[in-house]
């Protein structure tokens, strides 16, 4: 008796260990039309399963109770019936069709990525998310903000966990309500998956490929999700937080971001001339290190060899300063070491390098300044960075043809040769050299309606970009009219698009004048 | 019948069965019963090993925060747990059943290729020794999930990939050899008069499973080899930077992986279809429809693989095709469940342990089938995919499905294998402890998944804390309950009530016409089938 009481007591303590009311048993209804459709479909499927279960298990239990030997049941003789077999093949098929119809409808709606109002590129990397707003010049990383001491309890410590433990980040993704927001999802390293249950959006982030998803949220709020595809050590520590704002608040937020960007650029410039004290470098270095480096290299600097080498006493952290800065700036190919050039300011990089060179007994005494980082960054840009080269080429082209003769009539050969060069430079990154594109984000031009259809529409698309697809930029200001004429001619005649159309600069001039 | 048995026994007594003594008997054996025993013991040892890993996982997940292991080691645990349970526990256990029972059920003296049989078992311990040895290396064990998606398992792996690939190759070779042996035995060594449609359903399910193995194991071998060359020899099958595609990996893997899940459940159907009629004392309902249903499940299993990949960015047409095909599998699976219920209906049932495990199998496997049907619906799969809902689903079909059928079969044939009756009350303890704890372990995982908990994470948000605690308690209880089974088996081998040739009055089949324990050599002259 006593024992039984104890049992109930311990069960009771498990039950009462936290508020029952908070316990979620079912799928979320979410805050979009699609997520509600998905929820309805889930409930339909579940009720059907429960109904079938009641019938089948009911029959089983009935026969277990009434057809048992101990009750004197004698076994019947039947063991075959084609009629019955056909019946219980046909009925499930009908039930399945009843489920497939709404499922198909919802799926078609989910896969309709057209006509979006806002496009955001989402890039996963180990173990954070990067968001880039098209046409807004806003981009940022979003990193777990739960303090390390809350989850690292191996030494027996139990820091109180916050309300949004493991589901909080330093910078929220912000989107407007009632606008169709399209996500272009990709990855820098391994496969991740971007998942926000309240939107019913889950898409894999595949390195080298772009996936699409969209949402249209009707309720402002903060919605939380997580990476859903195993992506290495800290897979459980890269949450997603989306803040949905009303359209007006969203506009204000955009303006704020632009101001912050301008301030950051100014601060970056200022830091290049400033000489920061060792103490300040070490303090900033430590916070940066803990936030960005300690996941792999550990707070102690001992790393997790062999995948994540130690920094304490390492040749990188005690050797050549420039090499050290270079590895932080540009990463190390073929390893988990990422390039932090885009993620951290030069001041932060200077601080973290300083920290690594002086912490854990690496007492080199080196103090690295932002200007030193700039020097290394410059050096590596001249031999690797593509954007610089493109800028150079553009400059050269501009010098060669200072005045554009819009009345000049080019031959087919001239247009095609020039067009191919322009295409390779400005278009092939997305639409590919073969013209096959990378659908669905970057459609094929080979055999496409645009490249084979109306010339004016084609020119307009190149000059002004796409209204539906923000990934298609406006090239009117980036290319000369001659170049646009050439590239349009090229696209209309390459890869078997043999329209025979020759587009001259005058036509482009006329079209862009409208 | 009784006289037959006595004759057979005395007949055997006159002959030396030529078995060696000690360890050599087991190393050199070509006897299907010895090899079956080896497979079964190996599978049980692997079950306990994989189970021990799972216990560490559940201990870490007992409460929020990282208390016991580092996240990277946690990933190693989940990876090796999956690999061991799939390739080391469930598959070898079924091969053990095939070895022991198929020759006796078709009236053959042994498997068709006995030396290959020896080899296909004895390479297995080496495969798992290689796999487990990685735990003691500097790199650590494979940490990329049992599905080893590229590029996490190639460019970003921790250096264990080569060992992993080599181990999988050996497991694959073993499976292919075992499967060839089953097919050749069934096709060539049936007793005169045993036509295909007179074979026990048990034999049919293994026959079809063996074909699945021969079809898909080479695909697995191919994909792990591509993984190896991507990692160490600079190829780019799965690397976009070199013109490859990481999603190609998933297509190849799941083209193996989906038939693989049927490889692990079709034999379970065979075992349960043998046991339910025996304890309902009524013939199996719809034998021929059972054969056709098994064959159609096997065929369909080749055209549904991408339902594991709905979130990879498939075109709409692909999503619809794989959704419809996957839903279609519910039809033949439903036919099987209905046939089992119809077999029980108006039978004369008794509930010994094999029957209890079989009935639990039908109910709990069906629950796993329900969640499978829900997962087939692409729009909702976007919500379920890679959450604990999926973990609940495949543990219902693999643990309360495959593993429960293995227990049912083990209790059913233990008297034939050992010559003793097992201890029924201890066995019932095993059943009831397992039944309660396994549901405490896996049922709340449905709720966790629906509430949004992703799988393969070492730590979780606070709203998942309560269910995880229950699940862990269920896990420890289920793990410990399996030790009762060990006790039952050891007791049964060492002694107990002497088993008659046919201990179950409703059982049918040639295996019950020979003495218990089954003599070392059976059916040296084929039996007559009418």
């Amino acid at each position: 008796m006593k024992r039984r009481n104890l049992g109930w007591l311990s069960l009771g303590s498990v039950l009462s260990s936290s508020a029952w009311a908070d316990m979620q048993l079912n799928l979320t209804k979410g805050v979009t039309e699609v997520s509600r459709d998905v929820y309805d479909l889930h409930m339909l499927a579940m009720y059907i399963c429960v109904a079938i279960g009641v019938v089948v298990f009911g029959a089983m239990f009935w026969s277990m109770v009434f057809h048992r030997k101990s009750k004197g049941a004698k076994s019947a003789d039947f063991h075959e019936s084609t009629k019955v077999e056909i019946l219980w093949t046909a009925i499930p098929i009908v039930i399945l069709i009843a489920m497939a119809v709404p499922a198909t409808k919802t799926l078609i709606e989910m896969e309709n990525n057209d006509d979006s109002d806002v496009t955001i590129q989402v890039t996963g990397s180990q173990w954070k998310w990067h968001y880039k707003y098209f046409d807004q010049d806003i981009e940022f990383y979003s990193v777990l903000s739960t303090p390390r001491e809350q989850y690292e309890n191996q030494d027996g410590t139990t820091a109180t966990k916050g309300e949004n433990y493991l589901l909080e980040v330093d910078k929220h993704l912000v989107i407007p309500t009632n606008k169709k927001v399209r996500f272009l999802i990709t990855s820098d390293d391994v496969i991740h998956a971007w998942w926000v249950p309240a939107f019913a959006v889950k898409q894999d982030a595949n390195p080298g490929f772009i996936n699409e998803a969209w949402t249209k949220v009707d309720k402002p709020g903060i919605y939380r999700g997580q990476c859903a595809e195993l992506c290495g050590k800290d897979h459980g520590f890269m949450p997603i937080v989306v803040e949905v704002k009303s359209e007006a608040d969203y506009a204000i937020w955009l303006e704020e971001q632009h101001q912050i960007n301008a301030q950051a650029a100014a601060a970056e410039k200022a830091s290049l001339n400033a000489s920061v004290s060792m103490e300040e470098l070490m303090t900033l270095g430590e916070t940066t290190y803990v936030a960005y480096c300690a996941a792999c290299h550990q707070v102690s600097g001992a790393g997790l060899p062999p995948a994540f080498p130690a920094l304490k006493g390492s040749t990188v952290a005690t050797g050549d300063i420039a090499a050290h800065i270079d590895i932080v700036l540009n990463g190390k190919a073929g390893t988990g070491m990422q390039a932090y050039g885009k993620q951290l300011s030069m001041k932060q990089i200077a601080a973290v390098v300083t920290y690594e060179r002086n912490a854990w007994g690496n007492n080199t005494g080196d103090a690295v300044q932002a200007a030193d980082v700039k020097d290394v960054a410059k050096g590596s840009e001249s031999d690797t960075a593509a954007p610089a080269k493109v800028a150079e080429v553009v400059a050269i082209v501009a010098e060669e043809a200072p005045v554009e003769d819009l009345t000049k009539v080019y031959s087919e050969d001239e247009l095609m040769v020039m067009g191919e060069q322009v295409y390779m430079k400005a278009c092939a990154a997305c639409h590919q050299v073969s013209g096959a594109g990378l659908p669905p984000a970057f459609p094929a031009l080979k055999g496409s309606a645009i490249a084979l259809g109306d010339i004016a529409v084609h020119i307009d698309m190149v000059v002004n970009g796409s209204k539906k697809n923000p990934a298609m930029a406006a090239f009117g200001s980036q290319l000369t009219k001659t170049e646009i004429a050439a590239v349009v001619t090229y696209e209309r005649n390459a890869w078997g698009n043999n329209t025979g159309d020759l587009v001259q600069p005058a036509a482009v001039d006329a079209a862009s004048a409208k | 019948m009784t006289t037959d048995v006595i004759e057979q026994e005395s007949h055997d007594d006159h002959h030396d069965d030529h078995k060696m003594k000690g360890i050599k008997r087991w190393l050199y054996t070509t006897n299907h019963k010895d090899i079956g025993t080896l497979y079964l013991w190996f599978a049980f040892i692997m079950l306990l090993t994989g189970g021990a890993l799972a216990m560490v996982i559940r201990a870490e997940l007992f409460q929020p925060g990282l208390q016991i292991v580092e996240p990277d080691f946690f990933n190693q645990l989940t990876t090796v747990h999956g690999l061991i349970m799939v390739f080391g526990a469930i598959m070898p256990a079924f091969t053990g059943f095939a070895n022991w029972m198929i020759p006796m059920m078709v009236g053959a003296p042994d498997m068709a290729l006995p030396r290959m049989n020896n080899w296909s078992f004895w390479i297995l311990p080496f495969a798992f020794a290689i796999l487990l040895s990685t735990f003691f290396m500097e790199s650590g064990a494979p940490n990329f999930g049992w599905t080893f998606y590229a590029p996490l398992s190639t460019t970003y792996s921790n250096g264990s990939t080569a060992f992993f690939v080599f181990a999988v190759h050996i497991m694959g070779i073993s499976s292919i050899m075992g499967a060839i042996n089953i097919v050749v035995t069934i096709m060539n060594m049936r007793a005169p008069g045993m036509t295909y449609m007179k074979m026990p359903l048990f034999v049919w399910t293994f026959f079809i499973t063996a074909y699945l193995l021969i079809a898909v194991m080479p695909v697995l071998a191919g994909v792990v080899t591509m993984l190896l060359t991507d990692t160490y020899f600079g190829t780019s099958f799965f690397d976009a930077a070199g013109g490859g595609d990481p999603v190609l990996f998933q297509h190849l893997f799941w083209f193996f992986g989906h038939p693989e899940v049927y490889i692990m459940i079709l034999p379970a159907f065979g075992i349960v279809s043998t046991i339910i009629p025996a304890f309902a004392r009524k013939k199996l309902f719809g034998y021929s429809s059972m054969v056709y249903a098994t064959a159609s499940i096997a065929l369909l299993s080749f055209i549904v693989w991408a339902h594991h990949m709905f979130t990879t960015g498939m075109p709409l047409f692909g999503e619809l095709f794989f959704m419809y095909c996957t839903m279609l599998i519910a039809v033949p699976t439903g036919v099987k469940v209905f046939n089992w219920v119809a077999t029980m209906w108006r039978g004369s049932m008794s509930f010994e342990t094999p029957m209890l495990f079989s009935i639990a199998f039908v109910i709990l496997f069906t629950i796993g089938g329900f969640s499978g049907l829900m997962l087939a619906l692409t729009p909702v799969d976007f919500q379920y995919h890679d959450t604990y809902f999926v973990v609940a689903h495949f543990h219902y079909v693999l643990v309360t499905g495959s593993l429960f059928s293995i227990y049912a079969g083990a209790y059913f044939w233990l008297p034939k294998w050992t010559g003793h009756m097992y201890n029924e009350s201890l066995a019932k303890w095993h059943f009831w402890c397992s039944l309660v704890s396994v549901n405490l372990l896996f049922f709340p995982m449905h709720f966790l998944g629906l509430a949004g908990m992703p799988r393969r994470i070492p730590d979780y948000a606070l709203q998942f804390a309560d269910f995880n605690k229950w699940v862990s308690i269920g896990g420890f209880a289920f793990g410990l309950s399996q030790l009762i089974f060990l006790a039952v088996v050891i007791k049964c081998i060492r002694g107990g009530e002497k088993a008659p040739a046919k201990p179950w009055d409703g059982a049918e089949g040639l295996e019950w016409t020979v003495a218990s324990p089954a003599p070392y050599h059976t059916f040296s002259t084929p039996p007559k089938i009418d």
Side-chain angles (χ1 to χ4, degrees):
Chain A
M1 193 63 200
K2 211 175 181 187
R3 237 198 192 154
R4 184 175 290 174
N5 281 344
L6 262 178
W8 281 117
L9 267 178
S10 60
L11 185 64
S13 72
V14 169
L15 289 175
S16 61
S17 59
S18 95
W20 260 96
D22 292 345
M23 203 180 270
Q24 189 188 338
L25 290 169
N26 203 356
L27 198 64
T28 173
K29 269 190 187 167
V31 287
T32 67
E33 211 179 304
V34 164
S35 73
R36 284 185 288 265
D37 287 349
V38 165
Y39 174 83
D40 290 343
L41 195 57
H42 158 75
M43 291 312 289
L44 172 75
M46 203 171 73
Y47 285 133
I48 289 177
C49 289
V50 169
I52 298 172
V54 167
V55 173
V56 174
F57 302 153
M60 276 181 80
F61 281 107
W62 179 276
S63 81
M64 276 191 270
V65 171
F66 294 102
H67 307 150
R68 51 168 69 212
K69 196 183 173 209
S70 54
K71 280 197 162 181
K74 287 269 180 313
S75 59
D77 201 28
F78 65 88
H79 61 83
E80 218 156 15
S81 163
T82 314
K83 247 188 243 163
V84 173
E85 298 285 354
I86 290 173
L87 193 71
W88 62 40
T89 306
I91 293 174
I93 290 178
V94 174
I95 297 174
L96 288 177
I97 292 172
M99 289 161 87
V101 170
T104 306
K105 269 190 201 151
T106 308
L107 188 58
I108 289 172
E109 181 56 20
M110 287 175 107
E111 291 292 333
N112 175 11
N113 291 294
D114 295 340
D115 299 321
S116 60
D117 305 304
V118 179
T119 299
I120 297 167
Q121 184 177 325
V122 178
T123 310
S125 63
Q126 289 180 326
W127 292 276
K128 48 183 151 292
W129 294 99
H130 178 257
Y131 300 108
K132 181 174 193 246
Y133 291 68
F134 275 68
D135 292 337
Q136 290 289 353
D137 199 27
I138 294 172
E139 55 179 306
F140 53 86
Y141 279 88
S142 179
V143 187
L144 176 74
S145 63
T146 302
R148 204 160 272 281
E149 58 270 19
Q150 284 191 17
Y151 56 88
E152 290 199 331
N153 308 136
Q154 283 99 336
D155 50 3
T157 55
T158 46
T160 316
K161 298 179 189 348
E163 187 193 352
N164 294 311
Y165 176 70
L166 296 188
L167 293 178
E168 51 201 346
V169 296
D170 58 351
K171 222 163 176 266
H172 298 172
L173 170 68
V174 177
I175 61 170
T177 48
N178 299 318
K179 291 269 185 195
K180 186 162 181 176
V181 181
R182 189 171 64 139
F183 303 106
L184 299 180
I185 300 167
T186 186
S187 164
D188 276 341
D189 40 47
V190 299
I191 300 174
H192 305 266
W194 197 80
W195 179 33
V196 180
F199 305 164
V201 169
K202 185 186 283 149
Q203 271 292 322
D204 287 4
N206 296 324
F209 294 84
I210 294 173
N211 272 333
E212 282 181 301
W214 67 274
T215 192
K216 192 172 182 178
V217 185
D218 43 31
K219 221 174 101 194
I222 292 180
Y223 305 102
R224 294 166 201 276
Q226 280 180 274
C227 176
E229 181 63 61
L230 178 65
C231 57
K233 189 169 76 66
D234 284 352
H235 164 55
F237 303 90
M238 53 181 293
I240 294 151
V241 181
V242 183
E243 191 172 347
V244 181
K245 287 178 183 285
S246 70
E247 282 179 61
D249 288 347
Y250 176 69
I252 295 170
W253 180 81
L254 282 181
E255 195 42 50
E256 272 172 19
Q257 295 309 303
H258 288 135
Q259 280 171 13
I260 291 170
N261 277 354
Q263 281 166 6
E268 180 91 354
K269 227 177 179 179
S271 76
L272 290 178
N273 301 319
S275 180
V276 184
S277 76
M278 185 73 173
E279 207 173 306
E280 197 183 327
L281 281 171
M282 287 297 280
T283 315
L284 176 63
E286 185 169 3
T287 45
T288 313
Y289 182 84
V290 170
Y292 287 85
C293 318
C296 299
H297 293 295
Q298 305 294 295
V299 176
S300 66
L304 292 169
F308 308 117
L311 297 179
K312 186 179 170 176
S314 79
T315 47
V316 170
T318 56
D320 182 40
I321 299 183
H324 188 177
I325 296 173
D326 181 62
I327 203 170
V328 177
L329 263 178
N330 301 314
K332 190 172 176 193
T335 70
M337 181 64 197
Q338 299 170 9
Y340 287 89
K342 276 200 316 182
Q343 303 182 33
L344 300 174
S345 72
M346 290 193 187
K347 189 176 172 189
Q348 280 174 309
I349 291 178
V352 85
V353 170
T354 306
Y355 178 74
E356 289 171 2
R357 300 182 78 80
N358 292 287
W360 326 296
N362 287 358
N363 302 320
T364 60
D366 301 331
V368 180
Q369 299 293 345
D372 302 328
V373 178
K374 179 84 189 284
D375 288 343
V376 176
K378 249 195 204 154
S380 58
E381 244 172 46
S382 61
D383 49 73
T384 53
K389 270 192 182 163
V390 173
E392 266 168 53
V393 171
V394 170
I396 291 166
V397 170
E399 267 170 42
E400 276 173 354
V403 184
E404 211 180 350
D405 181 3
L406 295 175
T407 55
K408 188 166 175 191
V409 174
Y410 292 90
S411 74
E412 179 177 352
D413 281 353
E414 282 172 326
L415 284 170
M416 286 299 280
V417 170
M418 202 186 341
E420 186 171 359
Q421 284 172 356
V422 177
Y423 183 83
M424 295 306 163
K425 197 176 76 191
C427 319
C430 299
H431 292 294
Q432 304 295 292
V433 176
S434 65
L438 288 172
F442 307 119
L445 297 177
K446 185 179 173 179
S448 81
I450 297 232
L452 297 177
D454 186 36
I455 298 183
V457 173
H458 190 173
I459 295 175
D460 178 63
M461 179 66 90
V462 178
V463 172
N464 299 318
S466 167
K467 282 163 201 76
K468 281 190 191 169
N469 183 346
M472 177 65 198
F475 285 92
S477 56
Q478 299 182 33
L479 300 174
T480 66
K481 290 179 173 125
T482 314
E483 284 173 324
I484 291 175
V487 83
V488 171
T489 306
Y490 178 74
E491 288 173 1
R492 301 183 75 81
N493 293 284
W495 325 296
N497 286 1
N498 304 319
T499 59
D501 301 331
L502 297 188
V503 181
Q504 300 295 348
V508 177
D509 189 42
S512 41
K514 269 185 229 166
Chain B
M1 180 78 65
T2 326
T3 51
D4 275 1
V5 171
I6 290 159
E7 261 173 33
Q8 180 109 28
E9 235 168 348
S10 56
H11 182 77
D12 283 318
D13 285 342
H14 290 290
H15 287 267
D16 178 16
D17 52 24
H18 303 294
K19 68 180 163 210
M20 292 195 214
K21 296 290 168 233
I23 186 80
K24 277 188 177 170
R25 167 180 170 190
W26 300 105
L27 279 175
Y28 299 156
T29 185
T30 55
N31 180 290
H32 74 101
K33 299 185 185 78
D34 281 355
I35 294 174
T37 305
L38 286 171
Y39 265 112
L40 288 167
W41 272 112
F42 179 76
F44 190 65
I45 292 166
M46 284 295 118
L47 180 78
L48 296 182
T49 312
L53 300 178
M55 301 272 237
V56 182
I57 294 173
R58 282 321 319 174
E60 176 55 59
L61 293 174
F62 186 72
Q63 63 187 64
L66 297 168
Q67 288 84 20
I68 299 171
V69 297
E70 295 291 336
D72 186 61
F73 187 65
F74 183 88
N75 289 344
Q76 297 175 24
L77 291 172
T78 53
T79 304
V80 180
H81 164 74
L83 289 168
I84 293 225
M85 289 308 198
V86 168
F87 295 103
I90 301 294
M91 289 171 72
F94 282 134
T95 318
F97 275 98
N99 263 294
W100 252 105
M101 304 317 300
I102 288 176
M104 289 209 289
M105 285 183 168
V106 300
D110 205 310
M111 295 294 278
L113 308 160
R115 280 175 201 280
M116 192 169 86
N117 206 8
N118 172 292
W119 202 40
S120 67
F121 172 76
W122 274 112
I123 59 176
L124 266 190
F126 293 93
F128 286 92
I130 290 169
L131 181 63
L132 287 169
S133 70
T134 55
F135 270 122
F136 306 99
M137 296 178 189
E138 200 198 358
S139 65
N143 60 358
F144 29 69
W146 87 275
T147 52
F148 54 101
Y149 279 11
L152 189 61
S153 55
T154 57
T155 318
Y156 296 88
S157 81
N158 58 359
S160 58
T161 304
F163 294 98
F164 161 79
V165 170
F166 193 41
V168 169
H169 268 308
I170 301 174
M171 296 168 203
I173 293 169
S174 163
S175 290
I176 291 174
M177 289 196 297
I180 289 174
N181 218 339
I182 289 171
V183 169
V184 177
T185 306
I186 295 173
M187 289 182 85
N188 296 299
M189 300 185 62
R190 278 168 291 131
M194 181 174 280
T195 59
Y196 280 110
M197 289 310 274
K198 275 188 189 165
M199 289 195 310
L201 197 74
F202 178 96
V203 179
W204 257 115
T205 56
F206 277 84
F207 191 44
I208 291 168
T209 304
Y211 272 105
L212 285 181
L213 275 166
I214 294 168
V216 300
M217 276 297 167
V219 179
L220 176 67
V223 71
V224 294
T225 307
M226 291 156 92
L227 197 77
L228 186 78
T229 62
D230 262 19
T231 313
Y232 298 104
F233 302 105
T235 56
S236 306
F237 293 109
F238 310 129
D239 180 3
D245 183 350
V247 178
L248 171 68
F249 170 86
Q250 296 177 34
H251 280 292
L252 292 171
F253 176 78
W254 287 114
F255 189 81
F256 147 78
H258 199 79
E260 168 70 17
V261 307
Y262 290 98
I263 286 165
M264 292 188 283
I265 200 67
L266 295 184
F269 293 164
I271 292 172
V272 168
S273 301
T274 311
I275 293 172
I276 290 180
F279 293 95
R281 293 167 183 81
K282 189 160 155 274
K283 265 178 87 169
L284 180 67
F285 188 87
Y287 167 85
S288 50
S289 75
M290 286 295 232
V291 173
Y292 299 136
T294 311
S296 19
I297 292 174
L299 287 176
L300 282 173
S301 78
F302 285 104
I303 52 166
V304 296
W305 77 89
H307 67 213
H308 299 269
M309 304 165 50
F310 283 141
T311 63
T312 55
M314 247 188 291
L316 176 63
F317 175 80
E319 289 174 336
L320 290 174
F321 174 83
F322 286 108
M323 173 170 75
Y324 298 148
C325 288
T326 306
M327 293 175 80
L328 216 51
I329 291 192
V331 177
T333 314
V335 167
K336 285 189 156 292
V337 174
F338 300 142
N339 279 337
W340 289 322
V341 177
T343 307
M344 290 163 66
W345 190 255
R346 290 182 54 206
S348 166
M349 275 192 283
S350 58
F351 300 93
E352 289 84 347
T353 312
M355 184 62 161
L356 289 176
F357 270 108
S358 297
I359 291 171
F361 167 93
V362 175
I363 294 174
L364 299 176
F365 169 78
T366 304
I367 291 176
F370 286 150
S371 55
L373 180 59
M374 294 167 78
L375 281 158
L377 302 170
T378 315
V380 262
D381 180 74
F382 283 113
Q383 290 284 43
Y384 306 146
H385 180 73
D386 269 335
T387 68
Y388 263 79
F389 192 80
V390 176
V391 179
H393 160 71
F394 67 71
H395 281 100
Y396 262 88
V397 292
L398 275 177
V399 177
T400 58
S402 304
L403 183 63
F404 270 31
S405 81
I406 288 166
Y407 282 138
Y411 284 116
F412 189 58
W413 284 299
L414 260 179
K416 183 57 59 188
W417 298 338
T418 65
H420 303 121
M421 297 307 287
Y422 60 84
N423 182 322
E424 188 68 51
S425 65
L426 206 54
K428 285 208 162 111
W429 269 102
H430 173 223
F431 171 75
W432 287 109
C433 288
S434 296
L435 183 75
V436 172
S437 59
V438 87
N439 283 293
L440 184 60
L441 168 56
F442 296 123
F443 205 81
M445 287 187 183
H446 291 113
F447 304 134
L448 282 172
L450 293 176
M453 178 166 163
R455 61 190 283 210
R456 294 169 164 167
I457 55 173
D459 194 6
Y460 46 80
L462 299 179
Q463 69 263 37
F464 307 129
D466 290 345
F467 279 133
N468 268 296
K469 196 180 278 180
W470 295 17
V471 165
S472 288
I473 292 169
F476 301 139
F478 183 66
L480 292 175
S481 304
Q482 304 325 302
L483 298 176
I484 307 176
F485 177 71
L486 182 65
V488 175
V489 172
I490 289 174
K491 273 186 75 156
C492 183
I493 291 170
R494 298 175 76 181
E497 188 194 329
K498 183 126 184 47
K502 188 175 151 182
W504 318 114
D505 57 328
E508 274 184 47
L510 289 174
E511 75 265 35
W512 307 112
T513 64
V514 301
S516 297
Y520 201 57
H521 297 290
T522 39
F523 298 121
S524 307
T525 46
K528 269 192 228 121
I529 316 288
D530 29 55

